[in-house]
Every structure is written in structure tokens, then in C-alpha cells.
Amino acid sequence: MILRESTQDVVKSYANDAKVSGKLLLDLINEILDLSKLEAGKMDIIPANYYTKDVIQKLVTVITDKAVAKSLVFECDIDKNIPAQFNGDDIKLVQITLNLLTNAVKYTAEGTVTLKMGYKTVGDKYFLQVAVKDTGRGLSKQEQEDLFVAFKRLDGNTTRSIEGTGLGLNLTANLLELMGSKLQID
């Protein structure tokens, strides 16, 4: 209500700070709970039919504002022949892809973040392929190895001002493994 109804900029600023802090805390708690579920073997993948365009729309809606706030260009490269519908856990798919896109935006100082979606067929089955590309600084081989260690972040001197706990990619890799997939870095 304060953000919507207050006319005082300083009050709105304080309310926005509280909102952002609350969101960060909630995200951290959710990541810890998800990691705990994975470690306990209690994380469930719940497959269902979902529409590809709905997943894309959710991703675009969330990431566009984050990219624009950093003066980045957000592009979508979606295979025009991609099936309209897939079967899988679309909630986890959105969580995984948002994590990758959010990291790309966080660690890219200028340029472009691109979401690429395509598919491959194996027999009569279709498999969604998702890639996130950015114009960030890139990662050394050692940094690539450390990406999946829980609570480990990249060099603190260069990433100190970037929010995060170091759980996101560990969680992403584990969710993908649970789904019979994997995360590849180039």
C-alpha cells in the first residue's frame, strides 16, 4: 500500500528497500528448503502437459525488467518449429531457466543476454533444449568447476556487490539431474 499510495519519495524508497529485502530473504529460504529436499531425496518432479509459449512468457516477463534496469538487451531466439506443448515439470523448468537468466543478467555489465529454445527428437519423443548466452566476462576453468559447489561464489573481489548466496547453480544442476538432464557450460 505504501508503494502504491504514498506521495513522499523518501517513504516510497524505504518501502521499496523493505520489499526488495523481503524478496531476497524469501528467495534464500526457498533455495535452502529446495536444497534440503534434494539432499533428503524428497524433491518431486511433477510432470504435466504445458504450453511452451506460457513458459516463454513467464521468463520474458521476469527477465526483461531486470535486463532493462541494467541497460542490457534481452533477446529471445526461439526455434519457430518448436512444439507448442511439452510434458514435464514446467514449474521446475521456469525455476531453472530463471536462475540461469538471472545469473546472466547479474554478471553481465553491458551487452546482451539471450534465451535460446529449441528441441531435439529421439524416436517419437521431443526434448526441450534451453540455452542462455550472455556477453559477460566469461569464466575460467577453475570458476566453471566451482560453480556447482553449494555456498561458493566467484571471486569475492569482483562479485562482492552482486546479490546471491552461491546456492542457485548447485540447486539448478541437481534439479536438472533429477529431471534426467544436465547443465553444460561453454
Side-chain angles (χ1 to χ4, degrees):
M1 271 179 20
I2 293 170
L3 287 171
R4 190 176 58 239
E5 296 178 11
S6 178
T7 58
Q8 298 177 9
D9 288 341
V10 72
V11 171
K12 282 185 171 184
S13 175
Y14 292 147
N16 191 57
D17 289 348
K19 178 182 174 184
V20 168
S21 296
K23 170 98 173 76
L24 289 173
L25 185 58
L26 181 61
D27 289 347
L28 174 61
I29 291 168
N30 285 333
E31 283 182 342
I32 291 170
L33 289 173
D34 283 348
L35 192 60
S36 297
K37 283 182 191 175
L38 277 166
E39 289 176 350
K42 301 291 184 185
M43 179 65 76
D44 294 321
I45 299 300
I46 304 169
N49 290 334
Y50 64 87
Y51 289 102
T52 312
K53 68 177 175 128
D54 293 342
V55 167
I56 295 167
Q57 185 58 47
K58 287 176 190 174
L59 297 169
V60 168
T61 298
V62 173
I63 290 302
T64 299
D65 288 342
K66 292 177 187 270
V68 168
K70 284 193 68 181
S71 300
L72 299 173
V73 175
F74 175 58
E75 297 177 342
C76 288
D77 179 8
I78 311 300
D79 184 328
K80 66 181 180 197
N81 296 313
I82 197 166
Q85 202 172 32
F86 281 94
N87 183 276
D89 192 328
D90 59 317
I91 293 171
K92 300 279 187 315
L93 172 63
V94 169
Q95 179 182 5
I96 289 165
T97 310
L98 274 179
N99 190 336
L100 297 173
L101 286 166
T102 300
N103 277 352
V105 169
K106 284 194 302 188
Y107 291 99
T108 300
E110 60 184 7
T112 305
V113 172
T114 304
L115 169 65
K116 183 174 182 171
M117 284 184 141
Y119 69 99
K120 70 177 184 177
T121 56
V122 178
D124 63 344
K125 293 188 178 189
Y126 292 85
F127 293 90
L128 181 65
Q129 295 182 309
V130 178
V132 174
K133 182 178 177 182
D134 63 62
T135 57
R137 69 175 180 83
L139 299 169
S140 69
K141 288 290 182 196
Q142 183 60 52
E143 288 172 325
Q144 289 180 28
E145 290 173 20
D146 291 345
L147 275 180
F148 305 110
V149 178
F151 298 105
K152 178 133 182 160
R153 297 197 53 201
L154 295 178
D155 174 25
N157 292 328
T158 57
T159 63
R160 183 178 192 154
S161 63
I162 299 173
E163 68 184 46
T165 59
L167 281 176
L169 287 178
N170 178 276
L171 179 61
T172 294
N174 282 300
L175 284 172
L176 284 167
E177 184 178 320
L178 193 60
M179 297 169 86
S181 188
K182 63 183 174 184
L183 182 61
Q184 297 176 323
I185 302 169
D186 181 18

